[in-house]
Amino acid sequence: MASTHRIALAFAAAVLLVWGLLFAVTVQRAALPPDASGRVIAVYPFGWDALAVTVAATQTEARLVRQTWLPNAVELASDDPGFAGRLRETGAIGVYRAQPFTLFTLAGCTGMPPSLPSLRRFG
């Protein structure tokens, strides 16, 4: 019985390792190039509070769209070329395109078509 548990634990560890590697590659490939502009999500180092993130982000003369539920991430907008690069210069560890999000499009894993209405309408 103990060997069966070891096999299950090894399988679970392998799945988590593969998922972690694929997630890291996906996040790295989703990052915007330095010359990008528009509406973006800027992620700052973990441990930065919302005030430090806001101060660093506003140094780029961007328009603050909203805070996110993560204290180290903020949604910003600017049409100036090189906006993503300026965010990285102020300390951002990642800059990503701001994408609309609904419950049904969570990672594309639900099998539901993305054209369904958001549940927020019904609340």
Side-chain angles (χ1 to χ4, degrees), residues 28-44:
Q28 187 269 334
R29 292 184 54 101
L32 292 174
D35 60 335
S37 62
R39 195 166 169 178
V40 302
I41 300 285
V43 179
Y44 286 85

Side-chain angles (χ1 to χ4, degrees), residues 45-61:
F46 297 102
W48 284 33
D49 62 357
L51 179 61
V53 168
T54 304
V55 168
T58 55
Q59 289 177 354
T60 64
E61 298 180 9

Side-chain angles (χ1 to χ4, degrees), residues 39-42 63-68 73-77 98:
R39 195 166 169 178
V40 302
I41 300 285
R63 182 174 53 89
L64 179 65
V65 176
R66 67 181 177 94
Q67 296 285 347
T68 65
V74 66
E75 186 172 343
L76 305 157

Side-chain angles (χ1 to χ4, degrees), residues 103-116:
L103 180 63
F104 295 115
T105 59
L106 180 63
C109 297
T110 61
M112 304 292 279
S115 61
L116 290 174

